[in-house]
Amino acid sequence: MARKTGSHSEITGPRVRAAAERLFARQGYAAVSMRKIAAEVGVQAGALYLYTKDKQALLFDMMDAHMVALLDAWQELDPGGDPMMRLEALVRFHIRFHMERQDAVFIAYMELRNLTPDNYVAITARRKAYEQVVEGILSDGKASGAFAVEDAHLSAMAVIAMLTGVNTWYREGGRLSLERVEEIYWDMVRKSLVG
Amino acid sequence: MARKTGSHSEITGPRVRAAAERLFARQGYAAVSMRKIAAEVGVQAGALYLYTKDKQALLFDMMDAHMVALLDAWQELDPGGDPMMRLEALVRFHIRFHMERQDAVFIAYMELRNLTPDNYVAITARRKAYEQVVEGILSDGKASGAFAVEDAHLSAMAVIAMLTGVNTWYREGGRLSLERVEEIYWDMVRKSLVG
DNA sequence: AGATTATCTGAACGCGCGTTCATTTCAAGG
DNA sequence: CCTTGAAATGAACGCGCGTTCAGATAATCT
């Protein structure tokens, strides 16, 4: 396994990234050594550098890929049009997408401070783009009279925090199915935004 | 500065704890060395051990103190009685309390995985106690018909996530005063829970 | 089979880690 | 002025860190 030839690959090798993602999510970037990641892959530490420039690139690559996947997936799914329908689609999408990527989400939220300044700026820009997707829907709904929103930015942040919070408590096989959770959250979000 | 005599103090020295809290919040527990904390206090690393058993105790003490302060402060403020009034009091209290302790809150959420198993259990128990405060209010309101809540636990988690989320975006001197933020969040929470 | 290239090892580098402890500094009380 | 004991130093300990690289190994192609 490895890159084709010459200089190191632009994209972290998938097995290395998967191992790093698991470990970063469970123990945190700073607490995970290259040797631990290598052991998880079944290789010596030096071999990792065939797939990644350094440890920081490992973190940045997975965070950036996650944010891009989030934005792309929503663009694919965005029905456009009626703000109420768009928001419902987004709420359900957000919960589903985040629940399917618990490790990546955890890392995206917890490891921002371990990014170099340049990388921090890049990831933060992606986050802002997603926040503006939500804020845009709320603004449209406010303009059309569908939502009774005083401050679209504040409400967007409130909705995102609420939805992402599912990750901290929901466990598969629990009392509620994910479909049920989706339903109830959408109900709460909708009610909190209409007069 | 230091303990009275004999064995190390049960309570981390306040200056050491303040320095550790600042640094843990900004760089993370794993990335902060005892030498960095010592430098922040203006002392050599060895001197820290006059005030704390070890690095782990530094983390646990501040997290435990934070959770106890949260629970005590609410007990002091809890008006009891009408669930709607209690919930409003809690929403405003939660936002204010958390905004005044941004570092401690950040640590309480981010550093759970750096606790030893015993310490993790202890802190998690405190968290559950607070979650049950909120869940209790929602259950009462459901029973009395004040709230249209399908699952009190889920709604409690949703509310807590939404409220704590304020910490991630609110900055003093911004567009909105904290009073205004309190107002809008309470409005959203209330609407999301009534029919 | 032999050559070529991709893949990986294992040792090494300088460094900072958490923690301990004998020793020194320093303020206060007699 | 001398004693006491608290407060802090600074060196030391063994260890694991991120990263590099010369060399070994394994796969592929002619």
Side-chain angles (χ1 to χ4, degrees), chain A residues 74-83 85-90 137:
Chain A
W74 170 247
Q75 206 160 67
E76 193 80 16
L77 229 98
D78 185 357
D82 178 43
M85 282 173 50
R86 279 186 88 201
L87 187 64
E88 176 170 1
L90 182 121
I137 297 176

Side-chain angles (χ1 to χ4, degrees), chain A residues 50-71:
Chain A
L50 294 168
Y51 306 99
T52 190
K53 188 177 159 291
D54 53 24
K55 196 188 173 191
Q56 170 72 203
L58 226 42
L59 179 61
F60 175 75
D61 285 355
M62 72 177 63
M63 287 179 75
D64 199 51
H66 173 68
M67 293 308 298
V68 169
L70 175 68
L71 290 162

Side-chain angles (χ1 to χ4, degrees), chain A residues 21-192:
Chain A
E21 189 166 301
R22 243 191 328 272
L23 291 172
F24 286 171
R26 278 156 189 63
Q27 317 185 166
Y29 176 79
V32 173
S33 68
M34 293 300 272
R35 284 167 178 83
K36 281 186 197 168
I37 298 168
E40 185 90 353
V41 177
V43 108
Q44 294 299 316
L48 295 181
Y49 290 84
L50 294 168
Y51 306 99
T52 190
K53 188 177 159 291
D54 53 24
K55 196 188 173 191
Q56 170 72 203
L58 226 42
L59 179 61
F60 175 75
D61 285 355
M62 72 177 63
M63 287 179 75
D64 199 51
H66 173 68
M67 293 308 298
V68 169
L70 175 68
L71 290 162
D72 285 357
W74 170 247
Q75 206 160 67
E76 193 80 16
L77 229 98
D78 185 357
D82 178 43
M84 185 66 79
M85 282 173 50
R86 279 186 88 201
L87 187 64
E88 176 170 1
L90 182 121
V91 165
R92 296 181 186 278
F93 159 75
H94 185 104
I95 291 176
R96 240 177 301 116
F97 188 92
H98 281 64
M99 283 303 301
E100 282 164 7
R101 290 162 176 82
Q102 301 223 49
D103 285 350
V105 170
F106 204 67
I107 292 166
Y109 275 80
M110 308 273 283
E111 304 296 356
L112 280 170
R113 61 181 164 193
N114 286 310
L115 292 169
T116 59
D118 281 3
N119 288 344
Y120 179 87
V121 168
I123 298 295
T124 295
R126 304 260 196 229
R127 284 178 80 92
K128 273 202 193 97
Y130 186 70
E131 288 164 12
Q132 269 158 14
V133 165
V134 183
E135 188 176 330
I137 297 176
L138 298 189
S139 286
D140 290 354
K142 180 183 177 178
S144 79
F147 299 140
V149 166
E150 182 160 331
D151 185 279
H153 179 66
L154 182 151
S155 289
M157 298 307 286
V159 168
I160 292 172
M162 185 169 145
L163 295 180
T164 306
V166 177
N167 273 46
T168 65
W169 64 267
Y170 183 84
R171 293 296 167 261
E172 217 152 341
R175 217 159 13 88
L176 301 157
S177 72
L178 197 52
E179 288 76 20
R180 204 81 206 82
V181 171
E182 244 181 62
E183 220 65 56
I184 302 179
Y185 267 84
W186 164 236
D187 197 53
M188 287 184 72
V189 168
R190 183 181 45 74
K191 288 196 291 185
S192 75

Side-chain angles (χ1 to χ4, degrees), chain A residues 24-31 106 109-111 113-114 148 150-151 153-155 157-159 161-162 165 168-169 175-176 180-181 184-185 188 191-195, chain B residues 24-31 106 109-111 113-114 148 150-151 153-155 157-159 161-162 165 168-169 175-176 180-181 184-185 188 191-195:
Chain A
F24 286 171
R26 278 156 189 63
Q27 317 185 166
Y29 176 79
F106 204 67
Y109 275 80
M110 308 273 283
E111 304 296 356
R113 61 181 164 193
N114 286 310
E150 182 160 331
D151 185 279
H153 179 66
L154 182 151
S155 289
M157 298 307 286
V159 168
M162 185 169 145
T168 65
W169 64 267
R175 217 159 13 88
L176 301 157
R180 204 81 206 82
V181 171
I184 302 179
Y185 267 84
M188 287 184 72
K191 288 196 291 185
S192 75
L193 296 174
V194 301
Chain B
F24 286 171
R26 277 155 190 62
Q27 316 181 186
Y29 176 79
F106 204 66
Y109 274 81
M110 308 272 284
E111 304 296 356
R113 61 181 164 194
N114 286 308
E150 183 161 332
D151 185 280
H153 180 66
L154 182 152
S155 289
M157 298 307 285
V159 167
M162 184 169 147
T168 66
W169 62 268
R175 216 160 14 88
L176 301 157
R180 203 84 206 81
V181 172
I184 303 179
Y185 268 83
M188 288 184 70
K191 288 196 293 187
S192 76
L193 296 174
V194 300

